[in-house]
Every structure is written in structure tokens, then in C-alpha cells.
Amino acid sequence: MTSTQELESVSTKIQRIAELAKRHPDRSFVSLSHHIDLHWLWEAYERIRKDGAPGIDGVTAEAYEQDLLSHLQRLLEAVKSGSYKAPPVRRVWIAKADGNKTRPIGIPTLEDKILQRAVVMILEAIYEQDFLEVSYGFRPNRSAHQALDTVWTGLSRMGGGWVLEIDIKSYFDRMDHSHLRRFLERRVRDGVLRWLIDKWLKAGVLEDGQLSYREEGTPQGGVVSPILANLYLHHVLDTWFEGEVKPRLVGASSLVRYADDAVLMFANEADARKVLAVLPKRFARFGLELHPTKTRLVHFIPPTNRKEGEQGTFDLLGFTHYWGKSRRGLWVIKRKTAGDRLSRSLKRIKHWCRRHRHDRLKEQHEALSRKLKGHYAYYGIVGNRPALFRFREEAVRIWVKWLGRRSQRPLTWATAAKILHAHPLPDPRPWRASIA
């Protein structure tokens, strides 16, 4: 089924859609769904995660693959005939960045993930031609580290300035469906695609056996949710700031957005305060609300130039940005793991060690090593080594503590030292060094 020629055919179709969208930036596409055939669905299946939790039907990728071709054929026929029904998503709650609160996430069925990915493949081809350079979240060949690089470079060139941190209250739960539909209509008028998206927006949510329906928002966890969220803020924030606001400002300014996390940077204080004043009104117009305390304006300049009592740091994507001295004694912008992210990561290590304290030492060591390497891979940027070593130190302490609770006999430090010598947890390394 998945011959190289067939997969190239899907790739060629995606490229053609992208080229048309690029050549005709004002065109609204009315015929797109015909691209979704058996080969397209097969490619969509290849692109989804296979290890995710199952939806309400309990079907796993392993079970689905037993008769994959028949399942995909049946799914395609349901879409073409109009008999497809979007099943409810299973809602679970996961910890937020502060470690004290939780947020909901929706888990679609495997078939829903496949069909959503198939639609995203089309939407992505179109909207990647429209989305601006300022957005980095959930886009091909873009990452959080690139967003951080851009912020660091921009503020370094300006020598600091005024940073407006933007925090949107419950963004994924509050996107207005009527506005979203209008945004979609500017580029996508294909009836089948719009019908499918509407079904996912209106799909029920199953939690603790109770089924409910939402009138706004899109559940985090759905494959189609990130691109819809990007589309919404593309119109609400990105194009508005770049096209209408920025040309009217006096000094230099820039925007960096990763999904619903964003910062605005200004060289001029008056510009920053004007935007801060109008931003809540702009968001309210589209049914969104800025968090009153987490949305704040920071005078981000070296400490020697700040007024007494001014807070000169801000957080973005898990990093606290601050001013520190370089080896040559110059003030430079540095980053370290944000305190709430460090606490949350250590809390997860603690919970894992408690649940798995009776596993074999080798298995514990392998699992913890993977967790530490994953942490280093994201937080391992230049200047953040102290926070990485602190994380490892605390992780070792937590592991030893729960190893000591495997039995009634106390674990001596001598025995613990032997265990750590035989099963050393990985040291932090300069996993990334792209930011000087």
C-alpha cells in the first residue's frame, strides 16, 4: 500500500496546494477534500503518534493496525458519504506549570486523530504560506528554542527595553467559534473540510462518565487544535500588531509568539504603554481575556540603569530571562530554568520514584536517565548549567530517598554511594549551544 510512488503522490499534492496558496494569498479554496483518499489517510496514519492514550473506544494503534487497510477504507467511506460522526473526546487533567493547578486535555479516538491529521495536512499547506515569521509554536521546522533565540537576539540588539508579557486566560477553552469560522472562511470554503471542523468543535466531552458539550474553545490534545489556535491568534494578534500597530510606533518593536505564549518588545516606553492600554480591548473583541496579573510590562534593562524596586526579569517558555555579567564583565542577557518549571520537573521525578521504587535498579536507572536527558535536551542552553546541575543533584537526592523506602532496613550513605557508582545518573552536558 505505502509504496514510494504513492507517498510521493501525497507529498506532491501537498506541495501543489502550498504553491497555489502562496501564489494567490487572497484566494479562498472551495475544492480541497477530494485530496483525501486512501493514500492520504495512510500517510496521515503514519504521521500520528502511536503511543498516545486511547480515546473513549479504547482502540490502540496496535489493534487498529491488525486490519489497517479495511479500517481506513471504512473511515474514508464515512467521510465521503457524510455519515461520519465525531465521537466525544475523553477529558483528563494534567498538572500546569506551577505544579499546583491542573488543566484539561482532550484525548480523541485513534480514528479521529487520523482524520484530523489528514485535514491538518491540507490546512498546513495553506496557512504556512500565511502565518508570519513571528509565530513559532506547532509549526513545521519551528521550535521553542528558535523563539527563544529570536527574543535573545532582539533584546540584545536593542540593549534591553520594555517587555510586555502576554498571558491569555484559558485560551484553548475560550476561542469563539463564530470568529474562528470567519477566519477559516477567508481561505477555506470547502464544504467537507468545514463540516468536519465543525463536528470536532462541537464534539462532546466525556469526563467521569458525564457527557457535556461546549459552545466555545477547542480541546487541548486534539490534532487539529494547534493549527486552529494558531490561525485564531494569527488574526487577533500577529497581523494586527505587524500590520496596524507597528507602523504607528515611534521606536523599534517586535513580537514573538509560541502558541498562546507571547512577548512584545519595545525600545520606547510610550509605545509599550500605548499597546498595553489597547491590547485588552483588542482581545475582548474576539472573546479573549488577558490575565490581569500575569500580563505585565517589564523594564528589561541592566540593573545599574533600573530604578529601585523595578523587577527586571521575565519568563518565556520555561526560562527566566535576566541580566548578568559576562566573563569580560559586561552586562548580557542570560537565561535560567524558571523556578516553577524546575519545581514541576522535580515533582514529577518524585512521583515517579515513589510509584516505581520497587522496580529493579537497572530499570529505574534507565528510566530516570531518559527523563534527565530529556530535561537537559530542552533546558540545556548556554548559561543554564547551574540550573541543570541543581536539577540532577535534586533528582539524585529524591531517588536515594525513595530507594531507602524499599524495605524496613535503612539505606546507608555508603550503600547509596555504591548504587550511584554502579548506576550513575547522566551529568548535564552542553546539549545545545546555539545561543552565545
Side-chain angles (χ1 to χ4, degrees):
M1 173 66 191
T2 54
S3 69
T4 303
Q5 186 177 1
E6 288 161 347
L7 292 182
E8 283 179 354
S9 175
V10 173
S11 178
T12 301
K13 289 179 182 178
I14 292 173
Q15 188 175 351
R16 285 175 183 166
I17 296 170
E19 288 172 354
L20 274 173
K22 189 173 184 178
R23 284 203 307 268
H24 306 283
D26 298 322
R27 177 176 175 177
S28 184
F29 292 82
V30 296
S31 180
L32 291 166
S33 59
H34 65 277
H35 292 296
I36 301 179
D37 56 16
L38 203 55
H39 302 310
W40 194 281
L41 286 180
W42 192 292
E43 173 65 10
Y45 175 77
E46 293 294 327
R47 295 189 183 194
I48 66 168
R49 282 186 57 184
K50 310 297 191 299
D51 58 349
I56 62 167
D57 59 2
V59 175
T60 64
E62 184 179 6
Y64 200 80
E65 272 187 2
Q66 298 302 315
D67 197 5
L68 181 58
L69 189 58
S70 294
H71 288 312
L72 293 180
Q73 184 67 57
R74 181 178 49 78
L75 177 61
L76 180 63
E77 289 172 0
V79 173
K80 298 299 184 183
S81 67
S83 62
Y84 168 80
K85 294 182 179 180
V89 297
R90 181 166 65 88
R91 173 174 283 176
V92 296
W93 294 80
I94 62 173
K96 294 185 72 172
D98 56 18
N100 298 318
K101 297 181 181 179
T102 57
R103 63 180 175 88
I105 185 168
I107 302 176
T109 62
L110 184 75
E111 264 194 352
D112 240 14
K113 291 177 184 177
I114 297 169
L115 190 52
Q116 287 187 27
R117 176 55 62 191
V119 170
V120 167
M121 286 159 59
I122 295 176
L123 297 181
E124 213 169 61
I126 296 170
Y127 288 118
E128 274 303 304
Q129 317 314 312
D130 297 352
F131 289 160
L132 305 184
E133 289 293 314
V134 300
S135 71
Y136 292 85
F138 306 109
R139 294 181 58 189
N141 304 314
R142 294 193 150 228
S143 68
H145 286 139
Q146 290 175 330
L148 291 164
D149 288 355
T150 303
V151 170
W152 185 90
T153 302
L155 285 171
S156 295
R157 286 175 179 169
M158 287 198 304
W162 294 84
V163 175
L164 178 54
E165 288 185 82
I166 297 176
D167 188 281
I168 308 171
K169 291 180 67 174
S170 304
Y171 172 60
F172 285 87
D173 294 327
R174 300 184 66 170
M175 278 190 293
D176 184 277
H177 290 178
S178 59
H179 288 302
L180 179 58
R181 291 187 185 100
R182 281 196 290 271
F183 294 151
L184 277 165
E185 192 168 348
R186 297 183 187 185
R187 288 294 250 165
V188 178
R189 293 190 182 181
D190 180 279
V192 174
L193 293 193
R194 297 295 300 273
W195 171 70
L196 286 171
I197 292 170
D198 264 349
K199 280 187 171 295
W200 293 322
L201 290 176
K202 296 175 181 178
V205 176
L206 189 66
E207 181 180 4
D208 297 329
Q210 297 294 317
L211 184 61
S212 60
Y213 295 89
R214 60 183 181 274
E215 296 181 357
E216 59 183 7
T218 177
Q220 295 185 64
V223 177
V224 76
S225 294
I227 195 166
L228 296 181
N230 266 338
L231 173 63
Y232 204 86
L233 283 181
H234 168 74
H235 288 288
V236 174
L237 179 60
D238 301 354
T239 56
W240 170 74
F241 180 78
E242 293 292 321
E244 298 182 36
V245 176
K246 199 172 180 178
R248 301 177 184 177
L249 301 180
V250 175
S253 64
S254 58
L255 161 68
V256 173
R257 180 176 66 80
Y258 188 94
D260 59 332
D261 288 322
V263 294
L264 291 163
M265 298 165 283
F266 305 90
N268 183 280
E269 179 183 1
D271 288 342
R273 296 200 178 277
K274 284 179 183 177
V275 175
L276 176 60
V278 74
L279 204 58
K281 300 172 187 175
R282 172 69 182 180
F283 275 65
R285 178 181 167 188
F286 297 95
L288 301 176
E289 182 182 357
L290 294 178
H291 197 288
T293 57
K294 293 181 181 179
T295 298
R296 62 195 188 99
L297 187 61
V298 177
H299 196 192
F300 189 71
I301 55 175
T304 51
N305 300 328
R306 284 202 302 265
K307 296 178 182 178
E308 187 177 350
E310 279 189 328
Q311 184 177 357
T313 67
F314 69 94
D315 288 355
L316 178 67
L317 299 174
F319 289 91
T320 296
H321 295 64
Y322 67 101
W323 289 91
K325 286 289 187 73
S326 69
R327 291 181 180 178
R328 292 185 293 172
L330 302 175
W331 286 109
V332 295
I333 299 171
K334 296 188 174 185
R335 282 77 45 84
K336 61 183 178 181
T337 309
D340 59 348
R341 294 298 183 93
L342 185 61
S343 298
R344 182 178 67 174
S345 297
L346 290 172
K347 188 174 289 187
R348 287 177 174 172
I349 294 289
K350 174 186 172 183
H351 290 164
W352 188 92
C353 288
R354 183 183 63 186
R355 291 195 306 271
H356 296 271
R357 63 185 183 274
H358 294 297
D359 292 358
R360 293 170 55 199
L361 271 176
K362 182 182 178 182
E363 294 172 355
Q364 289 190 47
H365 173 256
E366 290 174 351
L368 286 172
S369 294
R370 287 194 298 270
K371 293 179 184 299
L372 265 66
K373 287 179 180 178
H375 184 90
Y376 301 156
Y378 183 76
Y379 291 102
I381 64 174
V382 171
N384 197 35
R385 283 178 66 85
L388 297 183
F389 275 101
R390 181 186 167 195
F391 176 75
R392 181 188 182 277
E393 202 174 280
E394 288 296 312
V396 168
R397 184 188 62 79
I398 292 168
W399 189 28
V400 169
K401 172 185 173 181
W402 286 101
L403 285 176
R405 298 190 180 185
R406 285 158 63 100
S407 68
Q408 298 296 325
R409 296 175 60 187
L411 180 68
T412 65
W413 277 110
T415 304
K418 290 180 181 179
I419 292 174
L420 294 174
H421 179 73
H423 304 280
L425 292 180
D427 280 329
R429 300 178 184 179
W431 298 92
R432 282 186 80 249
S434 66
I435 305 176

